[in-house]
Amino acid sequence: MDKRLVFTTSTEIVRVPSDTVVYITADGNYSVVTLTDGESFVLTLQLGQIERRITEMLDSDDNRFIRIGKSLIVNRDFIAYINPVRQKMILSDCRTFHHEVSASKEALKALKELLEKEATR
């Protein structure tokens, strides 16, 4: 079984397998975790706190989660499409779910270049 991500606040705990997290968005002082089954959880944690907790919980060589700009963390395993000009990214397993998210042109351009560089290794 994949490693579980555990997020706790003063009032709740969310425990999910890391391979089911598609993306996490910032919403002010809250973060919304979206899963492969369409379920989402609103946490009273800022995105920076979520990012730190993910880093602490996963192995140092597990780099599947990547921060895109100020308000988005994505699971790179689900990146299916990036268009920096249109500020559009599609996250999908190409079978059961499809999520369209947006980010800045600069952030998506940098992500596209990173993925292109990794593909040529």
Side-chain angles (χ1 to χ4, degrees):
M1 179 180 225
D2 205 19
K3 177 112 173 107
R4 284 194 178 267
L5 297 178
V6 180
F7 303 107
T8 59
T9 68
S10 61
T11 59
E12 61 196 350
I13 183 169
V14 175
R15 298 176 65 244
V16 293
S18 60
D19 65 347
T20 65
V21 177
V22 181
Y23 66 97
I24 306 164
T25 55
D27 186 9
N29 287 331
Y30 299 90
S31 295
V32 181
V33 179
T34 302
L35 305 179
T36 56
D37 66 0
E39 186 72 39
S40 62
F41 297 97
V42 178
L43 300 173
T44 54
L45 297 168
Q46 294 178 336
L47 198 62
Q49 294 170 297
I50 298 271
E51 184 179 27
R52 281 189 297 282
R53 289 185 185 188
I54 288 172
T55 301
E56 292 167 0
M57 287 182 264
L58 297 179
D59 297 331
S60 60
D61 63 339
D62 187 343
N63 63 351
R64 84 180 86 182
F65 292 98
I66 185 166
R67 178 98 180 239
I68 312 294
K70 294 181 179 181
S71 62
L72 184 64
I73 296 172
V74 299
N75 184 333
R76 65 188 333 159
D77 293 341
F78 297 124
I79 297 172
Y81 174 85
I82 299 172
N83 186 326
V85 175
R86 293 179 59 207
Q87 295 180 278
K88 178 179 174 180
M89 179 169 35
I90 294 174
L91 301 166
S92 175
D93 68 351
C94 300
R95 290 182 186 92
T96 59
F97 69 88
H98 172 104
H99 297 279
E100 188 174 317
V101 295
S102 62
S104 72
K105 289 179 185 179
E106 297 78 23
L108 289 177
K109 182 179 179 194
L111 177 61
K112 180 180 175 285
E113 290 170 359
L114 173 71
L115 295 175
E116 288 171 339
K117 188 184 299 183
E118 288 176 352
T120 60
R121 287 186 193 165

